[in-house]
Amino acid sequence: MKLLHILFLVFALPVFAQDIRSIQLFNPKTNDETPVIDFDSQLVLRFDDLSNGSEIYRYTIKHFDRNWQDDGLFFTEFAKGSMSGMIDRFEYSFNTYQKYTHYELTFPNEKLRPVISGNFELIVYKDSADKPLFTRKFCVVENNATVGVAVSRTSVPGNPAVNQRIEVQAISNGNVLSENVSSVSLNVIQNNNWGNGRYSLKPSSSLGNRLLFQQLDLAFEGNNEFYYFNNKVLDQAYDMIASTGNSQEGNQTFLHPVWAYPLNYQYQPDVDGAFYFRRSDAGIERDANKEGDYSWVYFYLESDPFDKDIYVLGCFNQFQPSEESKMRYDADRKMYEAKIYLKQGFYNYILATDDGSGVLNYGEINGSFWQTENLYQAFLYYQPFGRNYDGLAGYGEYRQQNLK
C-alpha cells in the first residue's frame, strides 16, 4: 500500500516541458540580427523558457564548411576551452501575465572560444548536444579582405520590374586571395535569411589583389517592404494593431488585415525583417528582457482562397515555415488567419507561399518591386594551401536605400 502511494505521488507530479521562445542571437555593437563577428567581438544570446523553471542549460559550438555541411573537424581543431559551457545567467519575469525565465549568454568567452574563422552553429541543449533545444548560425570573419557590395536595378524577360542585381568587389590584404583564387567562393543572402541566397559563386574576373563578382544571374527578386506591428503597449491599439483584448488564453493582439497582390510599390520604412522586444507602460519604457509580456498575435490576409500554403515569416522565426506560422482560410470572413504567441515588441514580417515544392516565394502575395529596400550580405570564403577547413576571409553588406 505504501509503495502504491509513492508511485501515485511520482506519477502525479507535474511534468514541465521546455517551451523555448523569443530566441535572439545578435551583435551588440550593431544591435541587429546579423550574427557575424571577428575574433575580438562577442555575440549575445537571449531566450525565454516559458516553463518558468530554473534549469541550467548548456551550449557548445560546431564548425561547418562554406555550404553549411558538416566538415568533420574535431572540437580541438576549431575551438579552445571546454567542449561545453553553462548558461547560468537567468532571471525570472516580473509583472507579467505569462511567467517565464529569461536566459542570457555572452559568447565567445574565456570558457569557450573559436580559434578559426568560418561558419559555426551554436547548439543549446539540456542533456545532450545530440538533442538540441535549438541551434543558431553565426560566422567568425578574419578580415583578410574588404568586401564591397553594390545593388542596382536589372530586368529579366517577362518580368522587368522586380529584380535587383548584386555586384561584389573583394580586395585582399596582401596576396591572401590572389594566391588562392581557385579556393575562393562567395555566398550572398538577403535580409539575414539563409534560405534566400546565392551560393558557391566563383569570381567573374580578377586583377592583382582584387576579385570581382559581376555575374548577370547574381540577382534577387526585390519583393516588397516588410509588414510590421508594434505591441509594446498591450492594452492599446498601437501601430498596425486593430484591437487588443484578454482571455483565459492570455493577452490578445489583433492586427489590421493586409491585402494580396498590390499593383504598385509603396515606400514604407522597415528593419529588413528584424524584431525588437519592447514594453512601455504609461510612456515609461520597461526592461523588456524580464518585463516584456506575451500575447497571441492574430495575422490576417484578405484574399480569395488558392491552392498554396501561406506562412507568416521573419527573423523572429528564422523565416522557417511551421504549423504555428501557417495561415488558415476562414471562408465566412473571406480571409486567411494565423495565430502566433509572441513577446511584445516591434516586429517585421512577410507572407510567403509554398506550392508544395518546399521553395518559398516571398513576393507572390506581398508583391515584388525593384525599388524595395533590402539588406544584402556577402560572405567570402577561401581555403589556403595547408588548411583543412573553409575560412571566412571577409564579410560585407549593403543596407539598401531606395533605388532610383
Side-chain angles (χ1 to χ4, degrees):
M1 188 68 178
K2 188 174 181 180
L3 177 60
L4 288 175
H5 181 65
I6 293 173
L7 289 174
F8 174 79
L9 289 176
V10 170
F11 287 108
L13 290 174
V15 178
F16 296 102
Q18 276 69 42
D19 186 2
I20 305 299
R21 300 265 176 167
S22 305
I23 304 167
Q24 283 185 307
L25 182 64
F26 64 95
N27 187 334
K29 290 183 178 179
T30 56
N31 195 33
D32 66 19
E33 303 298 317
T34 305
V36 179
I37 55 173
D38 58 27
F39 289 105
D40 296 322
S41 301
Q42 292 179 301
L43 295 168
V44 173
L45 171 71
R46 291 174 179 164
F47 64 93
D48 295 339
D49 182 354
L50 271 56
S51 63
N52 197 35
S54 54
E55 298 282 353
I56 302 298
Y57 294 112
R58 305 191 71 84
Y59 69 95
T60 188
I61 61 173
K62 184 171 176 56
H63 192 270
F64 291 82
D65 70 13
R66 66 188 71 194
N67 296 313
W68 292 100
Q69 300 299 311
D70 189 348
D71 59 11
L73 293 184
F74 294 108
F75 179 85
T76 53
E77 293 181 276
F78 60 78
K80 67 178 181 180
S82 303
M83 289 189 66
S84 67
M86 291 191 300
I87 306 176
D88 52 8
R89 289 170 52 193
F90 62 86
E91 52 187 350
Y92 297 108
S93 59
F94 173 73
N95 194 26
T96 59
Y97 182 90
Q98 170 67 62
K99 303 302 180 185
Y100 60 86
T101 308
H102 177 74
Y103 289 81
E104 186 166 319
L105 170 71
T106 301
F107 171 86
N109 51 53
E110 68 280 358
K111 296 179 182 178
L112 202 165
R113 178 178 296 276
V115 294
I116 64 174
S117 68
N119 292 340
F120 286 87
E121 196 171 66
L122 178 65
I123 303 168
V124 175
Y125 63 97
K126 182 180 177 183
D127 300 315
S128 170
D130 294 329
K131 298 178 180 179
L133 294 171
F134 64 87
T135 62
R136 285 295 183 271
K137 291 181 171 67
F138 72 95
C139 299
V140 178
V141 61
E142 297 176 14
N143 290 325
N144 277 331
T146 301
V147 179
V149 184
V151 181
S152 61
R153 178 184 179 180
T154 188
S155 63
V156 295
N159 208 5
V162 302
N163 276 14
Q164 296 172 342
R165 184 186 175 195
I166 315 302
E167 295 182 78
V168 176
Q169 175 179 262
I171 302 175
S172 68
N173 301 328
N175 298 320
V176 173
L177 297 183
S178 59
E179 293 177 351
N180 301 277
V181 173
S182 62
S183 76
V184 173
S185 70
L186 184 78
N187 293 346
V188 180
I189 65 173
Q190 185 188 68
N191 298 324
N192 276 303
N193 181 1
W194 287 102
N196 188 17
R198 306 291 181 268
Y199 299 98
S200 300
L201 300 166
K202 290 295 185 179
S204 58
S205 61
S206 62
L207 180 62
N209 66 340
R210 179 178 303 178
L211 301 180
L212 299 178
F213 298 82
Q214 297 177 315
Q215 292 89 334
L216 292 176
D217 60 350
L218 179 45
F220 291 75
E221 287 197 9
N223 301 319
N224 206 345
E225 308 295 352
F226 285 85
Y227 301 119
Y228 76 95
F229 70 90
N230 186 349
N231 68 342
K232 70 176 184 178
V233 181
L234 284 178
D235 59 356
Q236 296 179 25
Y238 216 60
D239 288 351
M240 305 308 294
I241 295 171
S243 63
T244 64
N246 193 279
S247 70
Q248 290 183 342
E249 284 188 300
N251 298 306
Q252 314 256 329
T253 300
F254 302 92
L255 304 185
H256 286 291
V258 298
W259 295 270
Y261 315 119
L263 297 177
N264 300 300
Y265 172 77
Q266 297 293 324
Y267 174 66
Q268 174 179 285
D270 64 13
V271 289
D272 300 317
F275 64 104
Y276 303 95
F277 300 126
R278 298 286 187 272
R279 175 174 175 172
S280 179
D281 295 338
I284 301 173
E285 294 292 328
R286 303 295 185 182
D287 180 1
N289 290 330
K290 65 178 180 180
E291 296 183 71
D293 214 335
Y294 279 77
S295 178
W296 287 104
V297 180
Y298 291 79
F299 299 82
Y300 299 106
L301 167 68
E302 288 191 355
S303 172
D304 293 327
F306 53 97
D307 59 352
K308 295 182 181 181
D309 292 332
I310 306 173
Y311 296 94
V312 180
L313 304 180
C315 286
F316 71 92
N317 59 11
Q318 293 193 288
F319 294 93
Q320 294 295 310
S322 66
E323 283 302 307
E324 184 181 46
S325 65
K326 185 177 180 180
M327 304 194 87
R328 270 75 179 180
Y329 192 69
D330 186 329
D332 293 333
R333 303 172 68 188
K334 293 185 178 180
M335 64 172 58
Y336 283 88
E337 174 186 311
K339 174 184 174 185
I340 306 178
Y341 201 46
L342 296 170
K343 196 172 188 176
Q344 66 183 120
F346 181 88
Y347 288 79
N348 272 187
Y349 69 96
I350 199 166
L351 303 180
T353 57
D354 182 354
D355 62 3
S357 67
V359 177
L360 296 172
N361 187 322
Y362 301 96
E364 183 171 6
I365 289 177
N366 310 271
S368 191
F369 307 95
W370 63 266
Q371 299 98 322
T372 303
E373 296 182 351
N374 287 299
L375 166 64
Y376 288 103
Q377 301 151 279
F379 301 79
L380 187 72
Y381 299 93
Y382 77 132
Q383 188 176 127
F385 179 77
R387 285 190 182 181
N388 63 341
Y389 66 90
D390 291 332
L392 184 57
Y395 167 78
E397 63 182 39
Y398 183 81
R399 293 184 180 271
Q400 183 182 323
Q401 301 300 312
N402 201 249
L403 293 177
K404 302 299 184 185

